[in-house]
Amino acid sequence: MADPRPVSITGLSVLSALGRGAEAQLAAALPGAAAFTEVQRFDTTNRRVHRAATAADVRSLEEEMLDAITGACAEAGLNAAQRATTPLFLAVHGRAGVRGLASRATRIYTSACVSASTAVADGAALIRGGYANRIVVAAGYLVEADQYALFDAGRALSDDGVVRPFSLDRKGLLLGDGMVAVVLQAGEGQAEIVGWGRAGDAYHPCQPAPDGRGLAAAMTAALRKADLPPEVVGYINANATGTSFSDASEAAAIRSVFEADVPVSSTKAVHGHALEASGLLELVLTVLALRAGKLPVNAGFTTADPDCPLDLILDAPRPATAQYGLTLNAAFGGADTALLVRAG
């Protein structure tokens, strides 16, 4: 049997409230400059919370996703013929806003906050196994009134307007725009997807298992897929949404897999929770940070939580000391994913 083929990111395009393009993401994420402002896109007068991370001058979801796909393909050097024959995996809330793209997509992922990371894992598996040479993965979410109302009514949004991952005084999440596309391709590229894992803890429809069993299983599977020990990981971009149960469960998962401290932060504290696009946005930020040799601050943090005994990156960006990083994502229903990347 032939050796598995390496799977690399050869092109990417990214938009969030931090700005357009890779440089804008790093410039804000590294020092922890959060992008949350008063929502102007729709009326929040009757809501408990009035803040989100919304990008300026965005067009429709489909237009922005098409631009992201075009930009990623151009960076990967794909010509028109190659692009036309490359499978497209979409991670979105539904087809309604992207009917044109959806009609051309090979697969559509609507599995909530693990949509994009699941798409990446599937794409990497197909390429590594020789079933495809390249795949475009695109994910998009623009903060809109209906989802905002649901999270607000469920009291999931932070009523002090700040996301504080792993902090004792954390009060919840805030939503944020995310529009991302990557080209996954066999061979060398900007970064390699070396491992991936998926699990379900089947504990509760909305709450994760307190011991973090699902995320721990996903991380362990990703390391096993890469045939690497935990010690190689030099950074974890945590799922951490700033919610009480979720952050504590994730901390337990990390501590169960890693005997030594690993630098941890959650970039959701600056760009917000981009729902279906979160996994891809956070993967790209992890790749950019590792390539830059600097790890982003865990923004919003004020007070240590004894239930979250982690090596959090506080006060200033930390130099990266390893090529490998993990990105973690979790969704309602107990779905968990882990993506292990090598960049440097």
Side-chain angles (χ1 to χ4, degrees):
M1 183 175 178
D3 291 335
R5 302 189 300 175
V7 182
S8 295
I9 296 173
T10 58
L12 62 86
S13 178
V14 57
L15 160 71
S16 75
L18 305 179
R20 290 183 183 270
E23 291 184 6
Q25 310 306 309
L26 271 182
L30 287 178
F36 304 112
T37 58
E38 295 291 312
V39 175
Q40 304 296 323
R41 190 173 291 166
F42 49 84
D43 184 15
T44 64
T45 302
N46 295 324
R47 305 291 169 225
R48 293 173 57 253
V49 177
H50 310 283
R51 291 171 69 82
T54 53
D57 302 321
V58 293
R59 293 164 297 163
S60 72
L61 180 66
E62 184 160 49
E63 288 174 310
E64 292 291 356
M65 287 194 77
L66 182 58
D67 267 8
I69 292 166
T70 301
C73 289
E75 187 170 89
L78 303 187
N79 59 36
Q82 289 172 322
R83 179 176 166 182
T85 57
T86 298
L88 172 63
F89 290 3
L90 289 182
V92 289
H93 181 61
R95 296 175 181 234
V98 290
R99 293 192 185 280
L101 279 174
S103 67
R104 294 150 50 189
T106 308
R107 298 184 182 180
I108 298 176
Y109 294 78
T110 58
S111 45
C113 311
V114 296
S115 298
S117 48
T118 301
V120 170
D122 283 354
L126 289 169
I127 293 170
R128 178 179 286 190
Y131 299 101
N133 288 321
R134 73 180 68 86
I135 292 172
V136 174
V137 179
Y141 174 71
L142 296 177
V143 178
E144 43 77 34
D146 289 349
Q147 286 291 87
Y148 191 96
L150 288 172
F151 278 89
D152 186 71
R155 296 184 177 271
L157 300 181
S158 173
D159 61 10
D160 69 355
V162 181
V163 179
R164 306 182 188 279
F166 301 115
S167 186
L168 183 63
D169 57 348
R170 59 191 181 273
K171 293 189 174 184
L173 61 89
L174 291 172
L175 298 175
D177 292 345
M179 202 68 55
V180 198
V182 300
V183 178
L184 302 180
Q185 198 158 342
E188 299 300 315
Q190 299 180 30
E192 183 182 350
I193 311 295
V194 296
W196 53 91
R198 288 173 285 186
D201 59 34
Y203 175 76
H204 185 277
C206 299
Q207 295 179 13
D211 61 4
R213 70 188 71 151
L215 271 176
M219 285 186 276
T220 300
L223 288 163
R224 188 185 304 119
K225 180 79 68 177
D227 195 23
L228 290 170
E231 296 78 49
V232 304
V233 177
Y235 173 59
I236 297 174
N237 191 346
N239 176 72
T241 57
T243 49
S244 179
F245 292 117
S246 179
D247 286 12
S249 170
E250 185 170 15
I254 292 170
R255 297 302 302 183
S256 72
V257 175
F258 296 92
E259 294 182 3
D261 285 338
V262 180
V264 176
S265 65
S266 171
T267 57
K268 284 187 179 75
V270 293
H271 57 64
H273 197 333
L275 301 185
E276 287 79 11
S278 286
L280 200 54
L281 177 57
E282 290 154 26
L283 172 64
V284 165
L285 274 164
T286 301
V287 167
L288 295 175
L290 291 172
R291 286 176 59 84
K294 297 178 181 179
L295 306 179
V297 164
N298 188 68
F301 186 89
T302 58
T303 308
D305 182 350
D307 289 335
C308 301
L310 300 173
D311 180 18
L312 298 174
I313 302 168
L314 304 176
D315 301 323
R318 190 180 299 183
T321 59
Q323 292 182 311
Y324 293 92
L326 267 172
T327 64
L328 307 180
N329 289 98
F332 285 152
D336 302 292
T337 60
L339 299 174
L340 179 62
V341 297
R342 179 180 64 82

